[in-house]
Amino acid sequence: YAAVYLAIGLGTTSPIGVPGEQLQGVRDAVDFIAELRQTANLATLPVGRRVVVIGGGMTAVDAAVQSKLLGADEVHMVYRRGPDEMGASLAEREWAQTHGVVLHHWLAPEAVLGDAAGQVSGVRFAQQQLVDGRLQPTGVLQTLAADTVLKAVGQKLDTLVLAGAGLALQGGRVLADDDGRTAVPGLYVGGDCRFGGRDLTVEAVEDGKRAARAIHAQLSATTSAATA
C-alpha cells in the first residue's frame, strides 16, 4: 500500500495491580461494555447484585450506570483521588448519581477479596490523602462487598508490534506530527493511539480528516512525479 492509516485505539486495559485481581467476577469494564453493546437480549447478560467499579473516567461511569440499569442492587464507583481530578465530567458524575450509583473518592484498591470457591466477595480500599502533592495512605481501610468488580483504571496500547515496525513511541503511544505522519514513511496514525490525543471522539474524527488530506497530498505528489 502507498499509505496506511492506523486508528486502533487503546485495546489493553491496565491492571489494578493488587492481590485477588484474578478472582472470578473481576473483569475489564471495556469488555463488559463491549459485551453489552453486542447483546441482543440484555436479559441474558449477567450482572452482580453488588457491583464495584474501580476508576474515575467515562468508561467507569458507563459501566456503573449500565450495571444499575441491568438490575444491580448496589453499584459503587470508586476513585483514588478527589472529584476535581476525575476524568469524568461533573455532568457525567451527576448522571451516574441520578441512576443510583454511589461515588467514593480518596480510596485506592488494596486487595480484591474472595471466597473459598474463588469468587470475588469484596474489595478492600485504603483511604488516601495528598502529602506534598503525592498520594499517601492515611491508615484507614474500607471494605465494599461485591460479587462483580469492573476495572476501569485506563487503557494502554500494546506497543510490542508497533515498536518492531519502526514506529517512534512516547508515553505508550505513537508519535506523529499534526497530520498524523509517523516515523515510518506512508504510515499515519490518529485517535487514542496517537501521543497527545485527548481520548475524545471529536478529536479522533479531526485526526482522520487531517490524515486523509495529508495522504491525498502525498499520493497526488507521487502521481505527479511519476507522470512528469
Side-chain angles (χ1 to χ4, degrees):
Y1 297 96
V4 173
Y5 179 69
L6 293 179
I8 55 178
L10 299 173
T12 305
T13 302
S14 301
I16 54 178
V18 300
E21 191 170 358
Q22 78 290 344
L23 289 168
Q24 297 177 34
V26 180
R27 62 182 307 192
D28 295 340
V30 172
D31 293 340
F32 169 73
I33 294 170
E35 184 178 355
L36 176 72
R37 300 286 186 261
Q38 297 168 15
T39 300
N41 183 5
L42 295 181
T44 64
L45 188 63
V47 64
R49 291 180 55 246
R50 297 185 178 93
V51 179
V52 170
V53 181
I54 301 175
M58 187 54 204
T59 298
V61 169
D62 197 7
V65 170
Q66 295 303 327
S67 295
K68 195 65 177 169
L69 292 175
L70 286 171
D73 293 335
E74 298 178 11
V75 179
H76 299 268
M77 180 175 157
V78 188
Y79 183 56
R80 63 193 179 97
R81 293 181 178 271
D84 293 339
E85 296 169 287
M86 296 181 73
S89 67
L90 175 60
E92 291 163 345
R93 300 196 303 268
E94 290 178 343
W95 178 63
Q97 290 175 305
T98 60
H99 283 84
V101 176
V102 181
L103 303 185
H104 303 263
H105 303 103
W106 302 110
L107 293 176
E110 185 183 78
V112 180
L113 310 176
D115 58 23
Q119 172 68 36
V120 62
S121 61
V123 185
R124 184 169 65 242
F125 294 91
Q127 188 182 80
Q128 304 292 304
Q129 62 181 347
L130 279 179
V131 178
D132 296 328
R134 301 183 64 179
L135 286 178
Q136 298 289 341
T138 65
V140 176
L141 301 178
Q142 180 177 345
T143 298
L144 294 176
D147 49 24
T148 299
V149 175
L150 300 176
K151 301 180 294 180
V153 293
Q155 295 170 265
K156 61 182 180 179
L157 187 63
D158 188 350
T159 58
L160 185 60
V161 174
L162 299 177
L167 289 167
L169 305 173
Q170 184 171 335
R173 305 194 188 195
V174 181
L175 275 175
D177 66 12
D178 290 342
D179 290 326
R181 294 184 187 86
T182 69
V184 178
L187 187 54
Y188 296 75
V189 68
D192 293 352
C193 62
R194 181 179 67 86
F195 177 74
R198 293 179 295 171
D199 301 343
L200 298 174
T201 300
V202 64
E203 186 170 280
V205 172
E206 181 62 25
D207 285 350
K209 291 179 179 179
R210 288 186 177 185
R213 288 192 288 265
I215 291 171
H216 176 71
Q218 172 196 323
L219 298 182
S220 297
T222 301
T223 302
S224 298
T227 57

